Amino acid sequence: MNPFASTSTLPFELPPFALIAEEHYRPAFLDGMAEQLAEIAAICASTDAPTFDNTMVPLERSGQLLTRVAEVFFNRSSSDSDDFTNALAEELAPLLAAHADAIRLDPALFRRIAALHERRGLLDLESEARYLVERYFTEFTLAGAGLADDDKARLRDYNKRLSTVTTRFEKNLLADTNDLALVLDDASELDGLTPGQTSAAAEAATERGLDGRYVITLVLPTSHPYLAQLTNRGVRERLLAASRARGIRGGQFDNRDLVLEIARLRAERARLLGFDSHAAGVTADQTAKTPQAVADMLGRLAPAAARNARAEQADLQAQIDAEGGGFELAAWDWAFYTEKVRRARYNVDTAAMRPYFEFERVLQDGVFYAANLLYGVTFTERTDLVAWHPGARVFEVAEADGSPVGLYIIDVYTRDSKRGGAWMNALGSQSTLLGTPRIVCNNLNVPRPAAGEPTLLSFDEVVTLFHEFGHALHGLFARVTFPKFAGTNVYRDFVEFPSQVNEMWMLWPEVLANYARHHATGDPMPQDLVDRIQASSTFNEGFSTSEYLAAALLDQAWHRIGADDVVTDVAAFEASALAAAGLDNPVVPTRYASTYFAHTFAGGYDAGYYSYIWSEVLDADTGEWFAENGGLTRANGDRFRSRLLGVGGSTEPLAAYRDFRGRDASMQPLLDRRGLN
Ligand SMILES: [Zn+2]
């Protein structure tokens, strides 16, 4: 009996991980696709005129077996991959792409949706149902449903090929990231790291059969957090070089040809769909609407960010000179000297904060605590429930009155089988139509401490945890009728907004006081340290805004090329795109270079990496709203929950924002926050 064949009988329909074996996935995918196509065929076989109930409702009900297996499999292939998941993911990618096309390009189905869309004003539908018709019509149209048959065939080929090459890109990236981990022979080379970090590096070496040596594993972005700590300049240089070498050093994991092919295929596909570029096709169905709107915004921010970064660079050089360093600041020195200047100017030592950020306290007394104050929800660990890996912990979430909300699963530690970065995904999405419970997951990449040591987070890791938990709340608080709209199923350039808002509570006095306690002594973080952190909040924003904007512009540049443009050299293309934006300062490298830019080339954020700063406008404006209205209160939380989190994708997001805020968002709070005035 295949465990995917029926709905799980575990609490909250948690997938029965203990029963799922490798041989269950492939048949469940194949049966799931076949089942959904049969369901679609049944809709189209009807001789009755299309109605909402005989077309949209069964469409939304279709594919439940496929959803069950896909949620579990893609969670595993991201979080705990191995040769089996890699091979199956590569095999499935073109099949799933073809499956999606079989639905979106089905002429009979599109005729029914188009007929409903045409008469939508006369159908007496609730607003969410009417919006469902509009969304399906728009998405099918943009996906090519209206094309002639021979163009549809070409479109299918593009989609299939793209799914294969983007999957290969991601596989190469993980392999090269593991392969390029920095191996050090001598403990003295790790000078500056904490004893816990050093023993973790020793254990990582042992795991790789390199007893007696030290391994520093790479993180997804260009900059590694240890660059702020390592005192040996040569080691810093090697660590940054290893990070930047990913996918661009020749050999079997080189991603350059894939980058060129992906960009070209996306441009050609966009032309087929009637757009000038992939970016035009993508933004047409986002709140941004056009690549020009994105370019205008990024272009407005870039000069100020680059100027601020140059001022910061001069400060760092002055610090080097004052020490008699006798060298010019290089990219691998930036974080290290930034820490020195931060200490000198604000007396803030970010390494000294770690003892106050013990993981369990941050999670329970910080993240959960803030959610409890804002929304009344509580979290109880369910050690009786198992997830996909022994490191993944399951919590039951309940409303203030005790009624169930869903499950929250968190998998904290990094491992070679986990892809880089941090993310939220779902193993079950709310909808009243299907009655499915909510199961949301957060994956982080916190290095595992040496045995017996506490997990002490960096400042940035705490930000990340609050951020990812904001996505989790978006999923947990979904309150929609149709599965299509649940939780985070919103426009990509809107989806980061709730998660960014949740970051606000990390330093909120009431929350910080509750969780930031010294792991050994229990003493609260000293108030003057808190004040100094706040005072230094725009410090180094020139750098972080510039490295982000560089990546966002690069993503746009790759996806604004036309189908006839010929690009043959990845590095040269990058260099000219960054120079054109004035973001080519060699000491401020882009957050991701093309060959390890998974957001854009493995997909998900292609032509959409701008989304983070785009939604930060709403985030900063929301921060101001909370501050103006009494801050962290149940009343404020409930308003945010009911008007923005709960509605998911079931309404036009900027209209939902107006409903919450009473007006459109202003850009000024973002400019203030990032020091870009
Ligand atoms: Zn996010």
Side-chain angles (χ1 to χ4, degrees):
M1 184 64 187
N2 192 313
F4 293 114
S6 54
T7 306
S8 165
T9 56
L10 291 174
F12 297 92
E13 297 178 19
L14 180 69
F17 288 100
L19 302 178
I20 297 170
E22 286 183 356
E23 66 266 24
H24 297 134
Y25 289 102
R26 199 172 177 282
F29 269 109
L30 298 179
D31 290 352
M33 287 187 269
E35 184 180 288
Q36 188 171 25
L37 291 183
E39 289 161 341
I40 303 292
I43 296 171
C44 299
S46 166
T47 51
D48 296 337
T51 64
F52 188 85
D53 288 334
N54 74 15
T55 301
M56 304 313 294
V57 170
L59 181 56
E60 280 288 277
R61 283 188 184 282
S62 72
Q64 293 180 43
L65 168 59
L66 181 59
T67 301
R68 278 197 297 274
V69 65
E71 284 172 341
V72 172
F73 178 75
F74 290 110
N75 179 74
R76 179 170 163 200
S77 69
S78 299
S79 173
D80 199 19
S81 65
D82 53 20
D83 290 344
F84 163 74
T85 59
N86 286 338
L88 186 56
E90 198 158 348
E91 181 194 344
L92 287 171
L95 299 178
L96 290 168
H99 176 72
D101 280 345
I103 297 171
R104 286 180 308 199
L105 302 181
D106 182 324
L109 181 61
F110 185 56
R111 269 196 303 276
R112 295 181 79 86
I113 294 170
L116 288 171
H117 183 255
E118 174 100 30
R119 292 187 293 116
R120 66 195 182 282
L122 311 168
L123 295 177
D124 191 27
L125 298 173
E126 302 261 351
S127 63
E128 186 180 336
R130 180 177 162 147
Y131 193 60
L132 187 75
V133 175
E134 290 172 356
R135 290 303 304 148
Y136 266 108
F137 179 75
T138 303
E139 287 181 13
F140 273 53
T141 304
L142 291 171
L147 292 179
D149 284 348
D150 54 339
D151 283 343
K152 277 187 185 169
R154 290 172 59 208
L155 182 62
R156 284 192 177 92
D157 290 341
Y158 281 126
N159 289 340
K160 212 165 163 177
R161 178 68 190 158
L162 271 165
S163 68
T164 299
V165 286
T166 52
T167 304
R168 202 167 292 161
F169 177 98
E170 183 151 39
K171 203 174 98 178
N172 281 349
L173 174 55
L174 182 61
D176 221 22
T177 299
N178 288 331
D179 203 45
L180 277 160
L182 190 62
V183 182
L184 298 168
D185 295 323
D186 195 294
S188 68
E189 293 177 300
L190 285 80
D191 185 54
L193 299 188
T194 66
Q197 290 167 338
T198 304
S199 33
E203 282 179 15
T206 302
E207 274 170 30
R208 287 164 189 243
L210 299 169
D211 265 325
R213 300 166 83 186
Y214 303 89
V215 167
I216 298 179
T217 53
L218 302 181
V219 297
L220 195 55
T222 302
S223 284
H224 193 289
Y226 289 179
L227 289 175
Q229 298 170 252
L230 290 161
T231 60
N232 185 319
R233 195 164 183 245
V235 174
R236 290 202 302 268
E237 182 175 1
R238 285 171 58 198
L239 181 55
L240 187 68
S243 179
R244 298 178 76 174
R246 285 174 291 174
I248 197 159
R249 59 184 175 131
Q252 58 173 328
F253 306 134
D254 197 301
N255 268 340
R256 279 175 292 190
D257 286 347
L258 291 175
V259 164
L260 295 173
E261 184 177 357
I262 292 166
R264 180 177 56 77
L265 290 171
R266 285 174 177 164
E268 289 178 5
R269 182 178 61 180
R271 176 167 64 185
L272 186 62
L273 290 166
F275 293 101
D276 291 340
S277 66
H278 182 59
V282 167
T283 49
D285 201 30
Q286 298 292 327
T287 70
K289 301 299 173 213
T290 64
Q292 194 54 47
V294 176
D296 287 347
M297 169 160 189
L298 299 181
R300 182 173 167 190
L301 303 177
R307 188 185 60 230
N308 290 356
R310 279 194 299 276
E312 290 161 11
Q313 183 177 353
D315 282 351
L316 301 181
Q317 189 63 54
Q319 176 73 29
I320 292 170
D321 296 345
E323 293 176 8
F327 59 85
E328 212 172 302
L329 179 84
W332 52 89
D333 300 317
W334 189 288
F336 187 75
Y337 285 92
T338 291
E339 285 309 303
K340 289 196 170 197
V341 172
R342 197 198 304 270
R343 277 196 295 274
R345 189 167 302 168
Y346 300 100
N347 195 17
V348 171
D349 178 355
T350 52
M353 293 180 207
R354 274 185 187 268
Y356 294 95
F357 293 148
E358 190 272 316
F359 170 73
E360 204 62 32
R361 272 194 184 278
V362 175
L363 179 70
Q364 308 241 14
D365 300 340
V367 172
F368 290 170
Y369 177 72
N372 177 261
L373 293 181
L374 283 162
Y375 311 112
V377 288
T378 57
F379 298 81
T380 310
E381 186 156 12
R382 291 285 303 259
T383 50
D384 57 318
L385 298 178
V386 293
W388 56 88
H389 186 275
R393 297 162 58 189
V394 183
F395 292 85
E396 181 172 337
V397 189
E399 300 284 8
D401 66 6
S403 59
V405 176
L407 295 179
Y408 171 70
I409 307 180
I410 181 164
D411 186 353
V412 182
Y413 296 113
T414 193
R415 47 182 175 264
D416 283 356
S417 62
K418 200 191 263 192
R419 72 172 162 88
W423 66 94
M424 171 271 190
N425 59 296
L427 290 171
S429 294
Q430 178 273 346
S431 74
T432 47
L433 181 72
L434 302 182
T436 32
R438 309 163 176 96
I439 306 175
V440 300
C441 317
N442 277 166
N443 269 279
L444 271 63
N445 263 292
V446 175
R448 183 179 283 284
E453 298 289 324
T455 301
L456 303 179
L457 303 180
S458 70
F459 186 88
D460 288 345
E461 285 165 346
V462 180
V463 176
T464 300
L465 179 53
F466 274 87
H467 175 99
E468 296 307 331
F469 189 75
H471 287 303
L473 289 176
H474 204 183
L476 283 169
F477 289 159
R479 190 181 30 78
V480 297
T481 304
F482 301 106
K484 182 171 187 58
F485 295 141
T488 53
N489 294 322
V490 295
Y491 289 121
R492 191 192 290 161
D493 65 6
F494 188 75
V495 75
E496 294 302 328
F497 160 56
S499 52
Q500 289 170 341
V501 166
N502 204 57
E503 293 176 25
M504 166 169 54
W505 310 118
M506 171 186 170
L507 294 180
W508 197 265
E510 198 178 348
V511 178
L512 188 73
N514 196 59
Y515 78 88
R517 290 178 171 273
H518 195 282
H519 73 97
T521 65
D523 292 339
M525 186 181 269
Q527 185 56 44
D528 65 316
L529 176 56
V530 177
D531 295 343
R532 283 180 273 124
I533 294 171
Q534 305 272 24
S536 69
S537 68
T538 59
F539 179 71
N540 205 40
E541 278 295 310
F543 175 88
S544 46
T545 306
S546 295
E547 62 143 24
Y548 164 75
L549 288 176
L553 281 155
L554 209 48
D555 167 50
Q556 287 294 306
W558 278 114
H559 296 115
R560 289 191 77 172
I561 61 175
D564 294 323
D565 295 336
V566 179
V567 184
T568 54
D569 184 332
V570 170
F573 181 85
E574 265 188 16
S576 78
L578 295 176
L583 291 170
D584 54 344
N585 185 342
V587 295
V588 186
T590 169
R591 183 178 293 179
Y592 303 103
S594 307
T595 53
Y596 53 91
F597 201 168
H599 288 80
T600 190
F601 288 106
Y605 279 81
D606 42 300
Y609 196 64
Y610 75 90
S611 302
Y612 289 90
I613 201 122
W614 192 266
S615 37
E616 198 180 329
V617 173
L618 302 179
D619 159 37
D621 194 54
T622 299
E624 200 172 84
W625 180 86
F626 271 102
E628 286 166 359
N629 288 279
L632 183 126
T633 66
R634 260 307 288 281
N636 287 346
D638 286 345
R639 182 181 174 97
F640 186 64
R641 174 177 176 173
S642 65
R643 300 195 184 205
L644 283 165
L645 298 177
V647 299
S650 68
T651 182
E652 199 55 57
L654 296 184
Y657 189 78
R658 266 191 297 279
D659 179 45
F660 163 75
R661 186 65 165 107
R663 59 160 172 77
D664 286 329
S666 151
M667 196 157 170
Q668 195 56 45
L670 171 78
L671 299 177
D672 293 341
R673 174 196 286 190
R674 287 183 173 259
L676 295 174
N677 286 304

